[in-house]
Amino acid sequence: MASNIITTDDLREFKLELLEEFKSILSKQNTQLTLKRYLKSSEVMDLLQISPGTLQNLRINGTLPYTKIGGIIYYDAQEIQQIMEENRVQHNFNF
């Protein structure tokens, strides 16, 4: 039975390959998310980390525009992104 000796260089190379693989997987996931134009309520709740009640309040008060087709509510992903950017709070602390 043959045995292999693993060196620190081998481990460093493995780490770099693993990191590249993770980056590849994450970039594919981000691409898939941006390809979807309309999101269902459950997807919006996951994306924004909000409860069903909060999502309903955002619809009722007009913060989040939506389309209802056959009892299913859809949200435009681009509009959600735009709303997030418009409501961005940036604090400028001068020390």
Side-chain angles (χ1 to χ4, degrees):
M1 182 174 196
S3 62
N4 293 331
I5 297 175
I6 299 174
T7 65
T8 55
D9 288 335
D10 293 333
L11 290 173
R12 194 172 293 117
E13 184 178 331
F14 175 71
K15 178 179 91 172
L16 293 174
E17 290 174 10
L18 193 59
L19 285 172
E20 286 302 316
E21 186 68 25
F22 282 145
K23 287 179 184 177
S24 172
I25 291 170
L26 289 174
S27 69
K28 287 177 186 175
Q29 285 180 342
N30 287 339
T31 302
Q32 289 174 350
L33 288 176
T34 56
L35 292 178
K36 196 166 186 180
R37 172 84 192 260
Y38 295 101
L39 305 173
K40 293 182 179 180
S41 294
S42 60
E43 295 168 317
V44 175
M45 287 185 292
D46 288 341
L47 178 68
L48 300 178
Q49 295 293 300
I50 58 175
S51 68
T54 301
L55 183 58
Q56 183 177 5
N57 286 335
L58 292 173
R59 280 195 313 266
I60 290 170
N61 68 22
T63 302
L64 235 132
Y66 64 94
T67 302
K68 188 172 183 179
I69 300 174
I72 300 174
I73 298 174
Y74 296 96
Y75 304 86
D76 189 323
Q78 293 173 347
E79 288 179 340
I80 292 173
Q81 184 65 35
Q82 180 182 351
I83 291 167
M84 293 294 288
E85 289 173 10
E86 289 171 357
N87 289 288
R88 174 183 224 128
V89 176
Q90 188 168 353
H91 296 283
N92 294 324
F93 295 109
N94 296 323
F95 293 101

